[in-house]
């Protein structure tokens, strides 16, 4: 299938259009909110919220007997919020640290959710089918009704983020200072947690509780690599989330038996890998390149200084020295030959037949200059 | 505000972690328009005292008045410079943005900082000698520069009483002189400045008032009257031989 066909389907194929729209919305919302979770060092909260939402979904179904998106999301949100509240209270009232509390609440709630799910599946009732899609997500089952719910809730989340931007930013950077300025920090914190919970639960049906935390953590981690501005970071994270959502929906529609949720997560993982390696400044590849350059420069300087040191031990400064002598002096033994060649190209050293080397006048001047520089620095 | 007025009046302030008292029944009265050091050994509760006064740490008991009114009504009169290490300097923002945060309180809910806030921030950066750094990423600042950014952020708060937690920590001698110059300027313009301080040697030179703390308040008042060997020994135990050559409480 070529690109034109994919685009055509994206616009006119009802199922694909619905799925892609839903996945895109979920990517935007979880990407944007994930930035704040990451900057407040609460990335794991996403994992906890999504897992703790499962029993909420099951209970909502048991109580109402319907699978309407509003009910499912409400159940998930209440359970997710309860779980978060429990984590906060455990940390506040006991000696248990956040990571342990998160792990504890996550597994207890998730286990309880699985038990309820098994129970529901054994009920003599045909309506229960499909609840297990919340485990790994089943985007292909998204209905327009679901997407509208996601869109409205996602819109509320983004608008809240927009209005309280400055408060959320200061909360993430320096909560004590926010308190000093007279803002009710607890309220702002609760509001941010609330919209994070909403951002997570609207994605559960598409991506599933198991993988949803990836959509919170990954776009933010990728976006942080490219910029040092919070506003741009949030926009980029939303964009990365949307791109991987739509790409995941399209790719899984092209291949039989390829589940949408995991495909979306694979797409965002690819973006993360590219960002971590190739982003300017923070990218590992450029860091590695800078280190390599530094190492080469230092090796070159070390060999030149060794030659200079050797030349000072003789009346004739052009006295030749064997490569072996230089090699035993130098710290970077592996690069002595290569460095000598580069020095020769720069006319700083001279090769004398029989694997001997001497420093040139230009080399002496250069060595003296770098010694002076070193002294000035210390 | 007259000079006889008390800028800060703390009575019976007690803070406890679990069942261990960190601050015990502290009374501090700070007259308006002075520059006061808070000194004491490690674990004496200096930072905790400031944080408890400002409501950042829960106190078990006590009352805080700022210019005669409860602190909760006088927040807008208070400026704060936290310890440098209390935030993540890799946060994605720049110097100007951090300094403008000092205006968020005046702006109130939802409203974004605009031209006026920008100008106030640039003005404050000028005062602390960081005018050329306004667009700099905060991750690229040295310790002394970070400290000056926090000071500028407090300046734009345009407060009457400033609380500063170790503003000289990790700065070089030149920056320290620049910072103390700014603090003395604040005092000259009638502001009150309360500073958690570590270096006993500079207390007489920099400050006109001092509070000696070691879980309890040991002494407090004008430096000339209370900053003596006896009180230092009471505060630091046997660790300070004499005032000229104190063993630094690091």
């Amino acid at each position: 299938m070529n690109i034109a066909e994919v685009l055509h389907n994206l616009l006119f194929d009802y199922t694909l259009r619905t799925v892609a729209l839903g996945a895109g919305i979920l990517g935007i919302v979880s990407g944007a909110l994930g930035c704040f979770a990451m900057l407040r060092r609460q990335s794991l909260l996403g994992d906890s919220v999504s897992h703790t939402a499962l029993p909420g979904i099951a209970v909502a179904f048991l109580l109402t007997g319907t699978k309407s998106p509003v009910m499912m999301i409400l159940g998930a949100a209440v359970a997710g919020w309860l779980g978060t509240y429990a984590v906060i209270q455990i940390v506040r009232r006991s000696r248990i640290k956040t990571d342990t509390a998160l792990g504890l609440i996550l597994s207890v709630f998730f286990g309880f959710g699985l038990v309820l799910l098994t129970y529901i599946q054994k009920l003599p009732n045909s309506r229960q089918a499909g609840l297990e899609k919340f485990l790994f997500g089943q985007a292909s089952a998204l209905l327009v009704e679901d997407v509208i719910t996601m869109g409205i809730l996602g819109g509320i989340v983004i608008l809240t983020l927009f209005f309280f931007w400055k408060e959320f930013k200061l909360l993430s950077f320096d909560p004590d200072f926010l308190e000093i300025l007279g803002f009710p920090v607890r309220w702002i914190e609760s509001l941010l947690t609330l919209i994070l919970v909403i951002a997570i639960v609207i994605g559960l049906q598409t991506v599933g509780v198991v993988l949803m935390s990836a959509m919170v953590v990954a776009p933010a981690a990728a976006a942080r690599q490219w910029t040092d501005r919070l506003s741009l970071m949030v926009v980029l994270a939303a964009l990365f989330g949307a791109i991987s959502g739509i790409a995941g929906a399209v790719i899984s529609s092209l291949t039989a038996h390829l589940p949408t949720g995991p495909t979306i997560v694979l797409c965002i993982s690819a973006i993360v890998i590219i960002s971590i390696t190739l982003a300017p400044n923070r990218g590992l590849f450029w860091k590695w390149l800078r280190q390599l350059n530094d190492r080469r420069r230092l090796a070159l300087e070390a060999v030149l200084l060794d030659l200079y040191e050797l030349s000072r031990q003789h009346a004739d400064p052009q006295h030749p020295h064997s490569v072996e002598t230089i090699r035993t002096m130098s710290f970077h033994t592996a690069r002595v030959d290569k460095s000598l060649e580069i020095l020769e190209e720069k006319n700083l050293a001279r090769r004398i037949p029989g694997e001997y080397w001497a420093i040139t006048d230009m080399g002496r001047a250069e060595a003296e200059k770098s010694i002076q520089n070193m002294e000035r620095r210390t | 505000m007259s000079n006889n007025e008390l800028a800060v009046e703390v009575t019976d302030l007690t803070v406890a972690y679990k069942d261990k008292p960190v601050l015990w029944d502290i009374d501090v009265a700070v007259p308006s328009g002075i520059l006061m050091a808070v000194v004491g050994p490690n674990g004496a509760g200096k930072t905790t005292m400031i944080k408890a006064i400002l409501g950042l740490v829960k106190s078990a008991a006590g009352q805080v008045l700022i210019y005669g009114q409860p602190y909760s009504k006088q927040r807008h009169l208070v400026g704060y410079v936290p310890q440098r290490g209390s935030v993540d300097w890799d946060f994605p923002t720049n110097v100007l943005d951090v300094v403008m945060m000092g205006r968020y309180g005046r702006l109130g809910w939802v409203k974004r900082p605009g031209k006026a806030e920008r100008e106030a921030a640039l003005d404050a950066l000028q005062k602390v000698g960081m005018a050329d750094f306004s667009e700099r990423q905060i991750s690229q600042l040295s310790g002394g520069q970070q400290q000056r950014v926090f000071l500028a952020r407090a300046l734009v708060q345009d407060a009457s009483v400033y609380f500063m937690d170790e503003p000289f920590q990790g700065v070089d001698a030149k920056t320290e002189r620049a910072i103390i110059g700014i603090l003395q300027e604040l005092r000259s313009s009638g502001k009150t400045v309360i500073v958690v301080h570590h270096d006993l040697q500079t207390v007489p030179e920099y400050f006109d008032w001092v509070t000696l703390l070691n879980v309890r308040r040991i002494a407090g008042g004008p430096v000339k009257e209370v900053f003596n060997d006896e009180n230092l020994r009471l505060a630091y135990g046997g660790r300070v031989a004499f005032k000229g050559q104190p063993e630094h409480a690091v």
Side-chain angles (χ1 to χ4, degrees), chain B residues 105-125:
Chain B
R106 279 159 188 268
L107 274 173
W109 288 95
V110 180
K111 258 192 270 169
R112 304 286 173 92
K115 206 175 160 211
E117 285 71 32
R118 208 185 143 80
E119 270 164 20
L122 287 172
D123 206 40
L125 281 170

Side-chain angles (χ1 to χ4, degrees), chain B residues 124 127-128 150-159 162 182 186:
Chain B
K127 273 189 196 138
V128 301
F150 267 178
L151 187 59
R153 184 178 72 170
L155 290 180
V156 303
Q157 281 187 270
D158 197 18
Y162 285 95
I182 293 164
L186 283 173

Side-chain angles (χ1 to χ4, degrees), chain A residues 6-43:
Chain A
V6 169
L7 277 178
H8 182 269
N9 285 352
L10 207 48
L11 290 176
F12 298 108
D13 179 294
Y14 174 80
T15 311
L16 181 59
R17 191 177 60 197
T18 312
V19 172
L21 206 58
I25 291 171
L26 118 85
I28 289 173
V29 180
S30 61
L33 265 294
C35 293
F36 288 89
M38 175 184 150
L39 292 171
R40 301 183 66 217
R41 299 172 193 276
Q42 288 186 336
S43 295

